Short mmCIF file of all heavy atoms in Angstrom, two decimals:
data_model
loop_
_atom_site.label_atom_id
_atom_site.label_comp_id
_atom_site.label_asym_id
_atom_site.label_seq_id
_atom_site.Cartn_x
_atom_site.Cartn_y
_atom_site.Cartn_z
N GLY A 198 -54.20 116.18 -20.62
CA GLY A 198 -55.38 116.90 -20.62
C GLY A 198 -55.65 117.62 -19.12
O GLY A 198 -54.86 117.35 -18.28
N LYS A 199 -56.69 118.31 -19.15
CA LYS A 199 -56.85 119.02 -17.78
C LYS A 199 -57.14 118.11 -16.62
O LYS A 199 -56.77 118.53 -15.51
CB LYS A 199 -58.19 119.96 -18.00
CG LYS A 199 -57.93 121.14 -18.97
CD LYS A 199 -59.19 121.85 -19.15
CE LYS A 199 -59.09 123.02 -20.20
NZ LYS A 199 -60.33 123.80 -20.50
N HIS A 200 -57.74 116.94 -16.94
CA HIS A 200 -58.20 116.09 -15.74
C HIS A 200 -57.24 114.88 -15.69
O HIS A 200 -57.62 113.86 -15.06
CB HIS A 200 -59.59 115.78 -15.78
CG HIS A 200 -60.41 117.04 -15.95
ND1 HIS A 200 -60.60 117.92 -14.94
CD2 HIS A 200 -61.27 117.42 -16.87
CE1 HIS A 200 -61.40 118.92 -15.34
NE2 HIS A 200 -61.83 118.69 -16.48
N THR A 201 -56.09 114.86 -16.34
CA THR A 201 -55.32 113.63 -16.29
C THR A 201 -53.91 114.04 -15.80
O THR A 201 -53.49 115.16 -15.85
CB THR A 201 -55.16 112.96 -17.63
OG1 THR A 201 -54.78 113.89 -18.69
CG2 THR A 201 -56.53 112.47 -18.19
N THR A 202 -53.17 112.98 -15.45
CA THR A 202 -51.78 113.16 -14.90
C THR A 202 -50.92 113.43 -16.17
O THR A 202 -50.99 112.89 -17.11
CB THR A 202 -51.30 111.91 -14.29
OG1 THR A 202 -52.29 111.68 -13.30
CG2 THR A 202 -49.85 112.17 -13.63
N ARG A 203 -50.06 114.44 -15.96
CA ARG A 203 -49.03 114.78 -17.08
C ARG A 203 -48.11 113.76 -17.21
O ARG A 203 -47.34 113.40 -16.37
CB ARG A 203 -48.40 116.20 -16.68
CG ARG A 203 -47.58 116.64 -17.75
CD ARG A 203 -46.87 118.07 -17.27
NE ARG A 203 -45.97 118.50 -18.37
CZ ARG A 203 -46.27 119.16 -19.38
NH1 ARG A 203 -47.52 119.40 -19.61
NH2 ARG A 203 -45.34 119.53 -20.27
N HIS A 204 -48.02 113.16 -18.49
CA HIS A 204 -46.97 112.24 -18.74
C HIS A 204 -46.81 112.17 -20.15
O HIS A 204 -47.48 112.83 -21.08
CB HIS A 204 -47.52 110.81 -18.35
CG HIS A 204 -48.54 110.21 -19.15
ND1 HIS A 204 -49.82 110.54 -19.05
CD2 HIS A 204 -48.41 109.28 -20.02
CE1 HIS A 204 -50.57 109.83 -19.78
NE2 HIS A 204 -49.79 109.02 -20.52
N VAL A 205 -45.66 111.49 -20.59
CA VAL A 205 -45.27 111.40 -22.02
C VAL A 205 -45.65 110.00 -22.47
O VAL A 205 -45.36 108.99 -21.80
CB VAL A 205 -43.79 111.65 -22.27
CG1 VAL A 205 -43.41 111.52 -23.61
CG2 VAL A 205 -43.46 113.03 -21.74
N GLU A 206 -46.20 109.85 -23.74
CA GLU A 206 -46.41 108.66 -24.20
C GLU A 206 -46.12 108.57 -25.68
O GLU A 206 -46.38 109.50 -26.40
CB GLU A 206 -47.86 108.19 -23.95
CG GLU A 206 -48.27 106.75 -24.45
CD GLU A 206 -49.70 106.45 -24.22
OE1 GLU A 206 -50.35 107.28 -23.34
OE2 GLU A 206 -50.26 105.47 -24.63
N LEU A 207 -45.56 107.43 -26.23
CA LEU A 207 -45.33 107.15 -27.58
C LEU A 207 -46.50 106.37 -28.15
O LEU A 207 -46.86 105.45 -27.47
CB LEU A 207 -44.00 106.44 -27.78
CG LEU A 207 -42.72 107.20 -27.46
CD1 LEU A 207 -41.51 106.21 -27.52
CD2 LEU A 207 -42.57 108.32 -28.47
N ILE A 208 -47.05 106.81 -29.19
CA ILE A 208 -48.16 106.05 -29.85
C ILE A 208 -47.66 105.50 -31.15
O ILE A 208 -46.81 106.11 -31.89
CB ILE A 208 -49.40 106.94 -30.08
CG1 ILE A 208 -49.00 108.22 -30.88
CG2 ILE A 208 -49.95 107.28 -28.69
CD1 ILE A 208 -50.25 109.11 -31.27
N LYS A 209 -48.19 104.34 -31.46
CA LYS A 209 -47.80 103.53 -32.61
C LYS A 209 -48.50 104.25 -33.86
O LYS A 209 -49.65 104.33 -33.96
CB LYS A 209 -48.08 102.20 -32.54
CG LYS A 209 -47.41 101.24 -33.57
CD LYS A 209 -47.45 99.89 -33.31
CE LYS A 209 -46.93 98.93 -34.31
NZ LYS A 209 -45.47 99.12 -34.61
N VAL A 210 -47.63 104.54 -34.86
CA VAL A 210 -48.22 105.11 -36.25
C VAL A 210 -47.40 104.41 -37.30
O VAL A 210 -46.13 104.60 -37.44
CB VAL A 210 -48.07 106.69 -36.29
CG1 VAL A 210 -48.54 107.06 -37.73
CG2 VAL A 210 -48.71 107.37 -35.31
N GLY A 211 -48.07 103.58 -38.03
CA GLY A 211 -47.40 102.78 -39.00
C GLY A 211 -46.51 101.83 -38.31
O GLY A 211 -46.79 101.14 -37.34
N ASN A 212 -45.25 101.78 -38.71
CA ASN A 212 -44.22 101.03 -38.10
C ASN A 212 -43.27 101.83 -37.22
O ASN A 212 -42.12 101.48 -36.98
CB ASN A 212 -43.32 100.27 -39.11
CG ASN A 212 -44.24 99.23 -39.83
OD1 ASN A 212 -44.97 98.48 -39.25
ND2 ASN A 212 -44.07 99.06 -41.08
N GLY A 213 -43.80 103.00 -36.78
CA GLY A 213 -42.91 103.88 -36.02
C GLY A 213 -43.66 104.30 -34.77
O GLY A 213 -44.81 103.90 -34.56
N LEU A 214 -43.04 105.10 -33.85
CA LEU A 214 -43.58 105.61 -32.70
C LEU A 214 -43.47 107.12 -32.73
O LEU A 214 -42.50 107.66 -33.14
CB LEU A 214 -42.80 105.09 -31.48
CG LEU A 214 -42.93 103.52 -31.17
CD1 LEU A 214 -41.81 103.16 -30.25
CD2 LEU A 214 -44.20 103.12 -30.84
N VAL A 215 -44.66 107.80 -32.24
CA VAL A 215 -44.69 109.21 -32.41
C VAL A 215 -45.13 109.86 -31.02
O VAL A 215 -45.96 109.33 -30.23
CB VAL A 215 -45.88 109.60 -33.50
CG1 VAL A 215 -46.13 111.18 -33.29
CG2 VAL A 215 -45.33 109.24 -34.89
N ALA A 216 -44.47 110.84 -30.61
CA ALA A 216 -44.76 111.72 -29.51
C ALA A 216 -45.14 113.09 -29.95
O ALA A 216 -44.59 113.59 -30.95
CB ALA A 216 -43.68 111.69 -28.44
N ASP A 217 -45.95 113.79 -29.25
CA ASP A 217 -46.37 115.13 -29.59
C ASP A 217 -45.81 116.07 -28.50
O ASP A 217 -45.85 115.80 -27.24
CB ASP A 217 -47.88 115.32 -29.62
CG ASP A 217 -48.27 116.81 -29.72
OD1 ASP A 217 -48.03 117.37 -30.80
OD2 ASP A 217 -48.73 117.30 -28.70
N THR A 218 -45.35 117.30 -28.92
CA THR A 218 -44.86 118.25 -27.82
C THR A 218 -44.87 119.64 -28.56
O THR A 218 -44.71 119.87 -29.72
CB THR A 218 -43.34 118.02 -27.62
OG1 THR A 218 -42.83 119.03 -26.88
CG2 THR A 218 -42.43 117.77 -28.72
N PRO A 219 -45.24 120.54 -27.68
CA PRO A 219 -45.35 121.91 -28.17
C PRO A 219 -43.93 122.62 -28.43
O PRO A 219 -43.74 123.58 -29.20
CB PRO A 219 -46.04 122.71 -27.04
CG PRO A 219 -45.66 122.00 -25.85
CD PRO A 219 -45.69 120.60 -26.21
N GLY A 220 -42.91 122.06 -27.94
CA GLY A 220 -41.61 122.59 -28.17
C GLY A 220 -40.49 121.94 -27.32
O GLY A 220 -40.66 121.02 -26.65
N PHE A 221 -39.41 122.59 -27.49
CA PHE A 221 -38.14 122.09 -26.76
C PHE A 221 -37.63 122.95 -25.72
O PHE A 221 -37.30 124.09 -26.21
CB PHE A 221 -36.95 121.79 -27.70
CG PHE A 221 -37.29 120.80 -28.84
CD1 PHE A 221 -37.89 121.18 -30.01
CD2 PHE A 221 -37.10 119.47 -28.71
CE1 PHE A 221 -38.26 120.29 -31.07
CE2 PHE A 221 -37.38 118.49 -29.67
CZ PHE A 221 -37.94 118.98 -30.82
N SER A 222 -37.95 122.62 -24.41
CA SER A 222 -37.44 123.48 -23.40
C SER A 222 -37.99 124.90 -23.54
O SER A 222 -37.19 125.86 -23.46
CB SER A 222 -35.94 123.46 -23.35
OG SER A 222 -35.44 122.12 -23.04
N SER A 223 -39.13 125.09 -23.90
CA SER A 223 -39.83 126.42 -24.14
C SER A 223 -39.12 127.10 -25.18
O SER A 223 -39.21 128.36 -25.25
CB SER A 223 -39.76 127.24 -22.81
OG SER A 223 -40.43 126.47 -21.78
N LEU A 224 -38.45 126.53 -26.05
CA LEU A 224 -37.87 127.21 -27.23
C LEU A 224 -36.69 128.13 -26.86
O LEU A 224 -36.25 129.11 -27.59
CB LEU A 224 -38.88 127.95 -28.04
CG LEU A 224 -39.82 127.03 -28.84
CD1 LEU A 224 -40.74 127.77 -29.67
CD2 LEU A 224 -39.16 125.95 -29.64
N GLU A 225 -36.09 128.07 -25.60
CA GLU A 225 -35.06 128.85 -25.23
C GLU A 225 -33.72 128.14 -25.47
O GLU A 225 -33.62 126.85 -25.53
CB GLU A 225 -35.11 129.06 -23.69
CG GLU A 225 -36.41 129.88 -23.27
CD GLU A 225 -36.46 130.01 -21.73
OE1 GLU A 225 -35.64 129.50 -21.04
OE2 GLU A 225 -37.40 130.68 -21.31
N PHE A 226 -32.64 128.84 -25.81
CA PHE A 226 -31.36 128.32 -26.20
C PHE A 226 -30.46 127.99 -24.97
O PHE A 226 -29.26 128.14 -25.06
CB PHE A 226 -30.60 129.22 -27.14
CG PHE A 226 -31.39 129.55 -28.39
CD1 PHE A 226 -31.54 130.91 -28.90
CD2 PHE A 226 -32.04 128.52 -29.25
CE1 PHE A 226 -32.25 131.22 -30.04
CE2 PHE A 226 -32.64 128.77 -30.37
CZ PHE A 226 -32.72 130.17 -30.84
N THR A 227 -31.11 127.38 -24.02
CA THR A 227 -30.35 127.00 -22.85
C THR A 227 -29.37 125.91 -23.15
O THR A 227 -29.69 124.95 -23.86
CB THR A 227 -31.29 126.34 -21.74
OG1 THR A 227 -32.41 127.31 -21.59
CG2 THR A 227 -30.65 126.11 -20.44
N GLY A 228 -28.12 126.16 -22.75
CA GLY A 228 -27.06 125.19 -23.07
C GLY A 228 -26.24 125.35 -24.30
O GLY A 228 -25.18 124.88 -24.51
N ILE A 229 -26.83 126.13 -25.23
CA ILE A 229 -26.19 126.35 -26.55
C ILE A 229 -25.10 127.52 -26.33
O ILE A 229 -25.58 128.55 -25.85
CB ILE A 229 -27.13 126.74 -27.67
CG1 ILE A 229 -28.15 125.57 -27.82
CG2 ILE A 229 -26.45 126.95 -29.07
CD1 ILE A 229 -29.18 125.90 -28.98
N GLU A 230 -23.86 127.20 -26.60
CA GLU A 230 -22.78 128.25 -26.52
C GLU A 230 -22.64 129.03 -27.84
O GLU A 230 -23.06 128.63 -28.86
CB GLU A 230 -21.49 127.66 -26.04
CG GLU A 230 -21.57 126.86 -24.79
CD GLU A 230 -21.91 127.72 -23.54
OE1 GLU A 230 -21.69 128.93 -23.59
OE2 GLU A 230 -22.58 127.21 -22.67
N VAL A 231 -22.09 130.24 -27.67
CA VAL A 231 -21.88 131.12 -28.86
C VAL A 231 -21.24 130.40 -29.97
O VAL A 231 -21.61 130.59 -31.14
CB VAL A 231 -21.04 132.41 -28.43
CG1 VAL A 231 -20.51 133.06 -29.67
CG2 VAL A 231 -21.83 133.23 -27.47
N GLU A 232 -20.07 129.65 -29.79
CA GLU A 232 -19.34 128.96 -30.72
C GLU A 232 -20.07 127.72 -31.35
O GLU A 232 -19.64 127.30 -32.39
CB GLU A 232 -18.02 128.51 -30.20
CG GLU A 232 -18.00 127.55 -29.02
CD GLU A 232 -18.05 128.37 -27.75
OE1 GLU A 232 -18.38 129.47 -27.66
OE2 GLU A 232 -17.85 127.62 -26.74
N GLU A 233 -21.27 127.43 -30.72
CA GLU A 233 -21.92 126.22 -31.34
C GLU A 233 -22.96 126.60 -32.25
O GLU A 233 -23.47 125.76 -33.02
CB GLU A 233 -22.56 125.37 -30.05
CG GLU A 233 -21.55 124.81 -29.24
CD GLU A 233 -22.00 124.18 -27.89
OE1 GLU A 233 -22.92 124.66 -27.37
OE2 GLU A 233 -21.68 122.94 -27.65
N LEU A 234 -23.48 127.76 -32.13
CA LEU A 234 -24.55 128.10 -33.05
C LEU A 234 -24.33 128.01 -34.50
O LEU A 234 -25.26 127.68 -35.28
CB LEU A 234 -24.95 129.66 -32.72
CG LEU A 234 -26.26 130.19 -33.37
CD1 LEU A 234 -27.44 129.35 -32.99
CD2 LEU A 234 -26.51 131.66 -33.11
N ASN A 235 -23.16 128.28 -34.97
CA ASN A 235 -22.77 128.18 -36.34
C ASN A 235 -23.05 126.77 -36.80
O ASN A 235 -23.65 126.64 -38.01
CB ASN A 235 -21.29 128.39 -36.55
CG ASN A 235 -20.73 128.24 -37.88
OD1 ASN A 235 -21.09 128.79 -38.86
ND2 ASN A 235 -20.00 127.04 -38.02
N TYR A 236 -22.98 125.72 -36.01
CA TYR A 236 -23.18 124.34 -36.47
C TYR A 236 -24.60 124.13 -36.44
O TYR A 236 -25.02 122.90 -37.11
CB TYR A 236 -22.48 123.39 -35.48
CG TYR A 236 -20.96 123.64 -35.43
CD1 TYR A 236 -20.32 124.16 -34.33
CD2 TYR A 236 -20.08 123.30 -36.54
CE1 TYR A 236 -18.98 124.40 -34.31
CE2 TYR A 236 -18.68 123.54 -36.47
CZ TYR A 236 -18.20 124.17 -35.36
OH TYR A 236 -16.86 124.40 -35.29
N CYS A 237 -25.49 124.95 -36.04
CA CYS A 237 -26.93 124.74 -36.05
C CYS A 237 -27.48 125.27 -37.33
O CYS A 237 -28.81 125.09 -37.55
CB CYS A 237 -27.60 125.28 -34.77
SG CYS A 237 -26.99 124.44 -33.34
N PHE A 238 -26.73 125.91 -38.20
CA PHE A 238 -27.18 126.40 -39.43
C PHE A 238 -26.25 125.67 -40.52
O PHE A 238 -25.17 126.16 -40.71
CB PHE A 238 -26.91 127.93 -39.65
CG PHE A 238 -27.99 128.79 -38.82
CD1 PHE A 238 -27.87 128.92 -37.40
CD2 PHE A 238 -28.96 129.46 -39.42
CE1 PHE A 238 -28.74 129.50 -36.70
CE2 PHE A 238 -29.83 130.23 -38.82
CZ PHE A 238 -29.75 130.34 -37.37
N PRO A 239 -26.77 124.60 -41.15
CA PRO A 239 -25.89 123.71 -42.02
C PRO A 239 -25.15 124.53 -43.12
O PRO A 239 -23.94 124.27 -43.32
CB PRO A 239 -26.87 122.75 -42.62
CG PRO A 239 -28.10 122.72 -41.60
CD PRO A 239 -28.24 124.14 -41.02
N GLU A 240 -25.90 125.45 -43.72
CA GLU A 240 -25.26 126.25 -44.82
C GLU A 240 -24.23 127.16 -44.31
O GLU A 240 -23.15 127.50 -45.01
CB GLU A 240 -26.33 126.97 -45.67
CG GLU A 240 -26.89 128.25 -44.89
CD GLU A 240 -28.16 127.92 -44.17
OE1 GLU A 240 -28.14 126.93 -43.34
OE2 GLU A 240 -29.19 128.56 -44.35
N PHE A 241 -24.31 127.56 -42.96
CA PHE A 241 -23.18 128.55 -42.42
C PHE A 241 -22.02 127.55 -42.15
O PHE A 241 -20.94 127.96 -42.38
CB PHE A 241 -23.81 129.11 -40.99
CG PHE A 241 -24.76 130.17 -41.31
CD1 PHE A 241 -25.72 130.18 -42.30
CD2 PHE A 241 -24.73 131.19 -40.35
CE1 PHE A 241 -26.54 131.23 -42.43
CE2 PHE A 241 -25.72 132.20 -40.47
CZ PHE A 241 -26.54 132.33 -41.50
#
Side-chain angles (χ1 to χ4, degrees):
K199 293 178 182 176
H200 307 294
T201 54
T202 305
R203 182 180 177 86
H204 74 281
V205 180
E206 183 176 350
L207 292 169
I208 55 175
K209 192 169 177 61
V210 177
N212 293 316
L214 296 167
V215 169
D217 168 72
T218 166
F221 301 90
S222 302
S223 300
L224 296 180
E225 295 172 1
F226 296 134
T227 308
I229 302 179
E230 301 300 331
V231 165
E232 59 272 13
E233 294 173 314
L234 185 61
N235 174 68
Y236 301 107
C237 298
F238 285 75
E240 70 271 48
F241 286 35

